[in-house]
Amino acid sequence: MVDIPEGALFVGMAETPQLLRLDRANRHGLVAGATGTGKTVTLQILAQGFSDNGVPVFAADVKGDLSGICMPGTPNEKMLARAAGMDLELRPDAPPTVFWDLYADKGHPVRTTISEMGPVLLARLMELNEVQEGVLNIVFKMADDEGLLLLDLKDLQAALKYVADHEKEFDVKYGNVSAATIGTIQRGLLQLETAGAENLFGEPALNLADLMRIDGSGRGVVSILAADKLIQSPRLYATFLLWLLSELFEELPEVGDPEKPRLVFFFDEAHLLFRDAPKALLEKVEQVVRLIRSKGVGIYFVTQNPADIPETVLAQLGNRIQHALRAYTPAEQKGLRAAAASFRPNPAFDTAEAIQGLGVGEALVSVLDEKGAPTVTGKTLIRPPASRLGPATPEERATVQSRSPVKGIYDTAQDRESAFERINQKTAEGARKAELDAAEAQIAKQREAQEKEWAKEQARREREMNRPAPRARAPARSSRQGMGETIAKSVVRSVVPQLTRALLRGLLGGLKR
């Protein structure tokens, strides 16, 4: 029976047992090798070994076959023979497992908020340049100053539109904000929605404590992120895992070098984290990797070639398991030499040649000893797992979820009042105020017109009062009376002369007599 001391994890058998010390497991690690060489099985036996020793584990399941860790294995003859050759008793067993999935198809939904993600990682996710990232920072600052919660993508869209609508105001307060830049960021958000990022942002947000659970028997819970669909959006995959690391770094207290890690984090397809990453982001990753070990967290990068990882990060990975590499092209040969140079030499073999000659389930292993120094590299047969090789069925997943310790906590999305609702309320209030202002302006205009008319009327009346009184005129007479007077005058004018002549004739006649 292989002797596994307390506080150690049995990786496999070389000339001597290869043991990963738990008190050095927070010094991070690397699992590398070409496709089909056994990296996933190595990840599985490490995850189960940590769990058996009371260490919670988080791992991304890129291909879907890591999900079998939730079920006890059924060893075949080859596995039993390998176990016997190691003097290992292989007992089928499975660690406590919780499944997570950004798309909520194969596990509990896992979410964060826009605010928790922050402008730096969002800018990386949307591939923004420095100017655009600066404007995004202004939007976050505005939301913070005005008490607007940024929880999901519609909150950020509303905040962007709000800043664009008040561009001149925010130019003075925060700096230049152009509508064109806002438009570019909005298009980036639409691309995120197309990639499924709306599933990532919202509430209830993931509580990191739920990734660090210990079950009733003292075993660490293994959290498996279903990433077979997520990996189709590699930038979203890498950004989410980097956010998770950053949150662990920010929230966990310092513990120094504990007897065993508080959490072990496996980052599969790790090259996606560093592909086309700007310098500022690489510096952030390096900082997190360097400092998070003192928070009791071990990070294990899983990738094909160590050359996929920047040297500044690679230098901090103390525990290394290297599966076979194939080197046919000059670039592959360069990567092979770099991989070989990262191991402590073993006088018994040439490291570069050994890496090329490894079979499936074999690896070169070098871990940290009690002094923190790398052990001499051992050509190692990786131990067979106690849990199942291959994926879990949908029915088995459903059974695991039905007894999950977080059942019902994350399964129903919440949408409380946040920036979207507050900004829409402000916009509606602004529209109502504008309508009221317009109505009041119309009323004031009408009142002004009425006052002008009244003033004109008053002026006219004053002119009338101040005008001199007209001369008195004879009373008007009726038309009949006027006609009578005319006839009378005509009669007088015709009769009087006649009478006069008659009187004169009479007088003259009297004189003659």
Side-chain angles (χ1 to χ4, degrees), residues 8 79 277 287 313 370 428 452:
M79 294 169 63
Q287 179 194 40
V313 175
E370 68 277 4
K452 287 181 179 179

Side-chain angles (χ1 to χ4, degrees), residues 21 100 174 280 421:
R21 296 176 61 96
W100 302 88
Y174 299 108
E421 290 79 14

